[in-house]
Amino acid sequence: MYNFSYQKVSSIADAVEAMQKAEDGKFVAGGQTMLPTMKHRLASPSDIIDLGGIDELSGINVDGDTVTIGAMTNHAAVAASSDVQSAIPALAKLAGNIGDPAVRNRGTIGGSIANNDPAADYPAAVIALGATVNTNKRQIAGDEFFTGMFETALEEDEVITSVSFSKADAAAYMKFENPASRYAIVGVFVVKSGDGVKVGVTGATPCAHRGMRLEEALNGNFSADAVDGVEIPVEKMNADIHASAEYRAHLVKVMTKRAVEACS
Amino acid sequence: MQTVSMNVNGKSVSGEVEDRTLLVEFLRENLRLTGTHVGCDTSQCGACVVHVDGVSVKSCTMLAAQADGSDVTTIEGLASNGDLHPMQQAFKDNHGLQCGFCTPGMVMSALDIVNRNGNNVDEATVRKELEGNICRCTGYHNIVKAVQAGAKNMGA
Ligand SMILES: Cc1cc2nc3c(=O)[nH]c(=O)nc-3n(C[C@H](O)[C@H](O)[C@H](O)COP(=O)(O)OP(=O)(O)OC[C@H]3O[C@@H](n4cnc5c(N)ncnc54)[C@H](O)[C@@H]3O)c2cc1C
Ligand code: FES
Ligand code: FES
């Protein structure tokens, strides 16, 4: 890991100022992606600006049908939160199956979605639950946040402050996980609510997306059988040492069926 | 450079470190607490697990500067007056180690598992929660037995 200059800030304003002054700065949250990436020299920022001292970025708040999770809230806290467990149990369960206990004690929701790893779990939930990503500058709709592989709508000096999720009538997340890292080879988040069915798919393609064909089929008939007839475009799937494109296309349907069954 | 101060195994310590110094490097190289191991560079093996403010973290994936002001417990902080901690004793009694390289991280993760799941934690939970700790010797079976036995003895 190349050296850098580290500073811990205690307010969002200080974080933004530090970023603007830095030659090539990066925010760090839990560091569970940032530090491994820097150790491999895939990133070598001049400045690391630690958001860990900004108290207002942590915590979970429920207001009516909306659950707002502070950007610096770690995965273990989301998994253990009785508020999240009762409002959106599928979200608490998703957080509890990210990586391993030590990763969950450090990794944060803000870091996970800002990083937008194609195999990360939270993006599927953000998309399917129609969440809103709140930043120091604006509110970004979940559907518009993830723009490509490791790319998001965020600007350089934009800090995610929290993510707001709405309760659903039913929701479930199923992932086929990489046994070494627990990242999703394919993960599918299915939500049923007043506006119909929404399906968030991660792991399958370079960037998490809505499964429009699956949604169409499930809006007509919310059952695992409805998934059988859906064609998943193999040419759009990721292929790597963990799974071929054909296998991922197959897994999208299997995970969707399991999620639908868990919803009913 | 950064000046970091923390409480390690009940003692206040401080030191001058490079900004990029990892917590595990500070523990091993500055404090000479070499019980905490480094087994990988991908944050996956768990040989480096210590407790920071009461919960398990991978000390290879945290900067020393990020642990400034924290309470840290390493494997060296468990035994008291020459008596092994019940979890360490359980690893010994149940043949929960062979080469011992993964053991400090296993024991620290095991204590975190007991803290969250209690003294009667079941086998499936232990196996699931040890996912972040890799052992290339034992095949895990006796580690799982050791964690359950240690958990019980901690409650006794
Ligand atoms: C062994 C291992 C297993 C893992 N398994 C899984 C898994 O199964 N599923 C999964 O989804 N993830 C997994 N992860 C990743 C983990 O969830 C990380 O926590 C997550 O990817 C990044 O969160 P972080 O808080 O550590 O962010 P960091 O690593 O600190 O930062 C990541 C990126 O986000 C940016 N950032 C962070 N916070 C903000 C903010 N508030 N505003 C703007 N930008 C911000 C940083 O600048 C950086 O670019 C795993 C990681 C490890 C090491
Ligand atoms: S050395 Fe920390 S996880 Fe391997
Ligand atoms: S005992 Fe050798 S790695 Fe676990």
Side-chain angles (χ1 to χ4, degrees):
Chain A
M1 181 159 61
Y2 291 113
N3 208 4
F4 49 82
S5 142
Y6 170 89
Q7 66 173 298
K8 192 169 192 165
V9 290
S10 52
S11 74
I12 295 169
D14 289 351
V16 172
E17 197 190 320
M19 182 58 90
Q20 286 164 350
K21 279 196 191 138
E23 189 189 321
D24 175 22
K26 270 285 189 190
F27 296 126
V28 71
Q32 301 303 289
T33 295
M34 204 58 230
L35 291 171
T37 309
M38 288 163 63
K39 284 203 247 175
H40 291 152
R41 297 182 174 176
L42 295 170
S44 49
S46 62
D47 291 77
I48 283 288
I49 301 150
D50 189 350
L51 304 176
I54 311 178
D55 292 339
E56 65 187 281
L57 293 182
S58 287
I60 296 165
N61 180 45
V62 182
D63 184 10
D65 279 345
T66 307
V67 181
T68 300
I69 303 177
M72 286 298 292
T73 313
N74 66 43
H75 308 327
V78 174
S81 158
S82 51
D83 282 338
V84 181
Q85 283 168 5
S86 64
I88 314 174
L91 190 61
K93 200 168 153 221
L94 174 152
N97 283 312
I98 294 176
D100 56 63
V103 167
R104 293 195 286 275
N105 283 333
R106 294 287 302 157
T108 67
I109 185 169
S112 176
I113 66 170
N115 189 55
N116 193 19
D117 190 298
D121 295 305
Y122 268 126
V126 167
I127 291 173
L129 286 162
T132 302
V133 180
N134 306 304
T135 77
N136 58 329
K137 302 188 179 192
R138 56 190 165 141
Q139 297 187 315
I140 307 172
D143 268 340
E144 281 150 32
F145 185 79
F146 304 104
T147 54
M149 189 156 99
F150 293 110
E151 278 176 22
T152 67
L154 289 175
E155 292 164 17
E156 284 285 291
D157 62 347
E158 191 165 11
V159 180
I160 300 171
T161 51
S162 63
V163 187
S164 301
F165 297 91
S166 302
K167 283 187 199 173
D169 296 339
Y173 178 62
M174 289 289 157
K175 78 167 152 173
F176 192 83
E177 60 184 30
N178 175 321
S181 69
R182 269 75 57 198
Y183 269 109
I185 290 176
V186 168
V188 178
F189 202 107
V190 172
V191 174
K192 205 175 151 203
S193 68
D195 329 329
V197 179
K198 282 195 185 178
V199 179
V201 182
T202 189
T205 56
C207 178
H209 65 278
R210 272 179 64 189
M212 294 297 190
R213 297 174 201 214
L214 293 161
E215 288 182 8
E216 200 180 319
L218 291 168
N219 269 318
N221 169 17
F222 192 73
S223 77
D225 292 342
V227 174
D228 282 326
V230 178
E231 180 111 18
I232 304 295
V234 172
E235 69 286 356
K236 292 200 175 147
M237 296 289 124
N238 294 334
D240 55 28
I241 54 166
H242 307 300
S244 65
E246 289 77 8
Y247 188 38
R248 276 196 168 83
H250 175 70
L251 286 174
V252 169
K253 285 168 79 161
V254 176
M255 292 303 117
T256 306
K257 285 183 177 192
R258 288 186 189 169
V260 168
E261 275 161 2
C263 274
S264 354
Chain B
M1 298 295 278
Q2 297 277 329
T3 307
V4 296
S5 304
M6 56 190 96
N7 188 301
V8 179
N9 300 331
K11 266 196 253 155
S12 296
V13 296
S14 59
E16 280 281 301
V17 296
E18 276 191 304
D19 294 41
R20 65 176 162 180
T21 303
L22 299 168
L23 176 58
V24 70
E25 294 167 339
F26 181 69
L27 294 171
R28 289 180 56 87
E29 289 162 28
N30 291 56
L31 305 182
R32 295 282 160 197
L33 292 172
T34 54
T36 302
H37 293 166
V38 175
C40 73
D41 59 6
T42 51
S43 307
Q44 283 179 312
C45 77
C48 63
V49 170
V50 301
H51 292 189
V52 175
D53 295 328
V55 298
S56 61
V57 306
K58 291 180 170 173
S59 62
C60 73
T61 313
M62 182 171 189
L63 297 171
Q66 288 179 298
D68 185 43
S70 298
D71 284 328
V72 178
T73 307
T74 70
I75 190 77
E76 288 91 345
L78 299 185
S80 63
N81 302 324
D83 289 332
L84 292 180
H85 183 283
M87 188 59 78
Q88 292 174 302
Q89 189 63 45
F91 271 71
K92 188 175 176 210
D93 294 344
N94 289 278
H95 202 75
L97 62 153
Q98 288 179 26
C99 78
F101 195 85
C102 68
T103 314
M106 286 288 177
V107 171
M108 298 313 289
S109 287
L111 293 176
D112 189 62
I113 291 173
V114 179
N115 288 342
R116 276 177 293 109
N117 300 282
N119 299 101
N120 292 314
V121 57
D122 62 42
E123 180 185 334
T125 305
V126 173
R127 287 189 185 276
K128 168 121 190 64
E129 300 222 338
L130 282 179
E131 277 177 339
N133 291 78
I134 295 174
C135 175
R136 60 167 301 171
C137 301
T138 63
Y140 301 98
H141 205 64
N142 287 345
I143 292 179
V144 175
K145 276 208 298 199
V147 175
Q148 286 190 283
K152 278 220 171 62
N153 292 340
M154 281 167 67

